[in-house]
Amino acid sequence: MTELLNNREYKKEQLKKILLRIHEGESVEKLKEEFKRLLSNISPLEIPIIEQELVQEGISAKDIAKMCDIHVELFREAVKGTDELEERDLPDGHPLKTLYLENKEIMKDSEMLSLYARTLTTTNDERMREEILGVLEEIVNNLRKVGFTHYNREEMLTFPYIERRGITAVATVLWTKHDEVRFMIKYLAELLRKRNEMPWEEFVKLFKDKAGEASFALNDMVFRENNIYYPTLKALLSDGEWKAIRMQEDEMGYYKVDPPAWDPGEDVKPLHPWEINPELSVEQLLSLPKEVQEALKGQPLEFDKTELKRDGDIDLGTGYVNVEELKIIFEALPMDVTFIDKDDRVRFFSPGERIFDRTLSVLGRPVQLCHPPKSVYIVNKILQAFKEGRKKEATFWLHLGKKYVYIKYVPLFNERGEYIGTLEMTMDIAPYKKIEGEKRLIDWEELE
């Protein structure tokens, strides 16, 4: 055992040296043979654990992601067919089977992308070029949905379960690779839109090269998920966890598959990440592939044991907050909120800066008496339309000094479909009308 762990330590140190050279700007292609020699003695199932350790030791997830491009190519043939064996005993509708089935569709579209991009470079007939470009536009537009469906479900629904168990680096590296693929496909879409802004020869060569890179990255991700990530999920997640995932999947959608309903049984309680025991039990460890078991020995994981619900918290259905936090949340909202109950009485208004004055004396007051007499009949018409289900909103906007005020009323109904009141939301949209272009999270600077 000591010899095995020492060997892994040696391989890890060698990987760190190569990754450092990548970080310092040395070409990945130039280092490819060194990678191959080193990786030929590392199991694909051992790689996520080594990556976990490398991230913990300060190696950039982006640098590790570059290594993935080589090792997935090297191990592709060695574990060919593993995904089919893993998928075979999963019932239809099971979230993991859905992920496997989506990967088959992604592989098909990835291969089609590469094929049509290469065909485009050898086609001289103008009509055929336009037909191929039309097909490529459809393929690229489809592949953009991978990021919004397949990858998004993995990031939002499965990553929290392995992160809770302390295996955070695996999720970090996968998410880095997901974003790289997203960027590649988006770039292809932009190239297609701007194809008339450059000479044909320049466009077609650039598109073929970038399509080839995107196709390779997509295939690599399929391999990585099917042969490393999904077997890990299968070994760690219980039916209750998969049930919770299945309950939320439809909100995000799927890539070219339509899974049927799946339920492991009414007696199985759905388990969200904050509800599980994050520690890896002996049974769980024994259910992991042998290579992962060996890699985990002597490497303590930092389990996330944070309790989500605290004493005094209010269960809001989508989270837990206490009264103090709730008040401050309402105060921070960039809008005024007023709630009118089913009897047309003012029950609540948000604190903080407001566009229209509200005082505590308004609480319990009929909303009709909060408006000028000349407009009361309009208020009554809106409320009646809401109560009868004829209208879903009423919106207004007006200038008020330097402010451009937007007002929106919406009816509120409980789970039984019963009207419980109306919500008024008011905000100054003048600052938002000035916004142009984009400013992403990554663009934020502390001293802006």
Side-chain angles (χ1 to χ4, degrees):
M1 179 61 66
T2 303
E3 183 182 346
L4 185 147
L5 289 174
N6 288 339
N7 187 34
R8 182 161 62 82
E9 281 297 313
Y10 170 77
K11 289 182 283 190
K12 184 178 73 174
E13 288 305 313
Q14 296 306 305
L15 281 178
K16 284 173 68 174
K17 289 179 182 178
I18 297 177
L19 287 168
L20 182 62
R21 289 164 66 185
I22 289 179
H23 185 71
E24 291 173 348
E26 202 162 338
S27 166
V28 174
E29 192 64 32
K30 182 180 175 183
L31 295 168
K32 198 167 187 176
E33 288 308 312
E34 288 188 51
F35 261 118
K36 283 189 176 183
R37 282 196 299 273
L38 180 59
L39 293 172
S40 62
N41 295 314
I42 302 177
S43 161
L45 294 168
E46 192 179 8
I47 289 170
I49 309 302
I50 292 179
E51 289 174 350
Q52 168 87 7
E53 296 169 8
L54 290 173
V55 169
Q56 289 174 345
E57 293 175 22
I59 299 294
S60 161
K62 285 192 174 181
D63 287 340
I64 293 176
K66 292 175 184 176
M67 181 183 74
C68 302
D69 293 337
I70 298 174
H71 80 241
V72 293
E73 178 183 5
L74 184 64
F75 289 121
R76 188 185 306 278
E77 291 302 318
V79 293
K80 187 176 181 181
T82 302
D83 54 323
E84 293 178 6
L85 294 174
E86 291 284 349
E87 176 197 334
R88 192 175 299 161
D89 61 347
L90 293 169
D92 291 341
H94 189 290
L96 190 53
K97 182 161 189 176
T98 300
L99 290 170
Y100 276 121
L101 293 175
E102 283 179 316
N103 269 348
K104 288 183 178 179
E105 297 300 325
I106 292 169
M107 282 285 284
K108 290 177 191 174
D109 286 346
S110 169
E111 294 300 327
M112 292 293 283
L113 171 67
S114 180
L115 172 65
Y116 276 94
R118 293 195 305 271
T119 304
L120 191 63
T121 62
T122 59
T123 302
N124 296 318
D125 182 82
E126 188 66 30
R127 184 180 63 80
M128 283 299 296
R129 283 180 178 178
E130 288 304 313
E131 285 188 17
I132 293 170
L133 285 168
V135 173
L136 282 168
E137 283 180 335
E138 183 179 355
I139 293 171
V140 170
N141 287 335
N142 278 333
L143 286 172
R144 289 202 70 181
K145 297 172 187 174
V146 172
F148 297 111
T149 56
H150 183 81
Y151 293 167
N152 198 30
R153 292 203 325 279
E154 289 180 341
E155 293 157 2
M156 297 296 109
L157 296 179
T158 69
F159 284 7
Y161 287 100
I162 64 168
E163 291 164 351
R164 183 79 169 170
R165 291 174 166 96
I167 311 176
T168 55
V170 173
T172 301
V173 172
L174 279 176
W175 204 327
T176 301
K177 296 294 293 180
H178 286 173
D179 281 348
E180 288 178 3
V181 174
R182 286 180 172 113
F183 177 81
M184 289 178 180
I185 303 301
K186 183 179 180 182
Y187 183 75
L188 288 177
E190 291 172 355
L191 265 182
L192 286 169
R193 281 197 299 270
K194 297 178 180 179
R195 61 179 178 266
N196 295 324
E197 299 177 14
M198 63 182 80
W200 172 258
E201 292 76 14
E202 179 184 343
F203 159 74
V204 76
K205 182 182 184 307
L206 182 59
F207 187 86
K208 179 181 76 71
D209 292 344
K210 295 301 180 183
E213 291 174 11
S215 178
F216 180 78
L218 283 160
N219 290 346
D220 282 352
M221 183 53 63
V222 168
F223 168 84
R224 189 168 177 74
E225 291 173 349
N226 283 9
N227 297 291
I228 299 172
Y229 186 54
Y230 296 166
T232 302
L233 289 178
K234 189 176 183 182
L236 292 179
L237 270 60
S238 66
D239 278 350
E241 292 164 89
W242 287 120
K243 183 171 183 174
I245 289 172
R246 183 67 187 91
M247 289 167 61
Q248 302 170 84
E249 282 188 312
D250 291 349
E251 296 177 26
M252 299 180 185
Y254 308 91
Y255 189 73
K256 292 193 169 184
V257 300
D258 185 17
W262 171 79
D263 190 333
E266 293 183 4
D267 57 326
V268 177
K269 176 183 179 293
L271 289 173
H272 298 284
W274 68 88
E275 296 175 309
I276 68 171
N277 175 10
E279 296 186 16
L280 293 176
S281 66
V282 174
E283 290 77 11
Q284 285 177 312
L285 284 168
L286 291 175
S287 68
L288 290 171
K290 183 178 178 182
E291 295 88 347
V292 177
Q293 290 182 41
E294 296 292 345
L296 283 174
K297 287 179 180 177
Q299 183 66 35
L301 298 174
E302 296 180 7
F303 306 118
D304 184 357
K305 297 184 179 181
T306 304
E307 293 288 340
L308 183 64
K309 188 175 182 180
R310 308 153 303 185
D311 290 341
D313 275 358
I314 305 168
D315 183 354
L316 296 177
T318 53
Y320 304 90
V321 295
N322 60 36
V323 173
E324 180 185 26
E325 290 168 337
L326 193 57
K327 287 179 180 177
I328 296 171
I329 288 170
F330 273 113
E331 189 171 340
L333 290 175
M335 64 175 65
D336 301 349
V337 175
T338 303
F339 173 59
I340 301 143
D341 69 14
K342 62 183 178 62
D343 299 318
D344 302 344
R345 300 273 178 171
V346 179
R347 295 283 302 175
F348 165 81
F349 61 88
S350 57
E353 183 179 347
R354 298 192 58 87
I355 293 173
F356 298 118
D357 291 334
R358 294 281 189 274
T359 63
L360 292 175
S361 58
V362 78
L363 295 177
R365 189 182 187 191
V367 68
Q368 291 85 351
L369 300 181
C370 299
H371 291 79
K374 63 181 180 181
S375 62
V376 169
Y377 81 101
I378 296 293
V379 172
N380 284 330
K381 286 182 71 173
I382 292 171
L383 292 172
Q384 193 62 33
F386 283 174
K387 293 172 183 178
E388 294 174 358
R390 291 185 286 107
K391 294 289 183 179
K392 294 184 178 179
E393 66 174 39
T395 55
F396 311 93
W397 46 96
L398 61 138
H399 291 283
L400 199 63
K402 294 182 179 180
K403 296 178 179 178
Y404 194 22
V405 180
Y406 182 82
I407 307 166
K408 183 174 184 176
Y409 299 94
V410 294
L412 306 177
F413 298 88
N414 61 22
E415 293 180 353
R416 297 181 297 279
E418 300 165 340
Y419 173 81
I420 64 167
T422 289
L423 192 68
E424 176 195 66
M425 296 165 281
T426 307
M427 67 185 300
D428 177 15
I429 61 173
Y432 302 102
K433 286 176 64 64
K434 299 175 184 176
I435 295 174
E436 295 180 352
E438 290 186 346
K439 180 181 179 183
R440 297 177 178 271
L441 179 64
I442 200 168
D443 301 323
W444 185 85
E445 292 291 342
E446 188 175 0
L447 299 177
E448 66 177 353

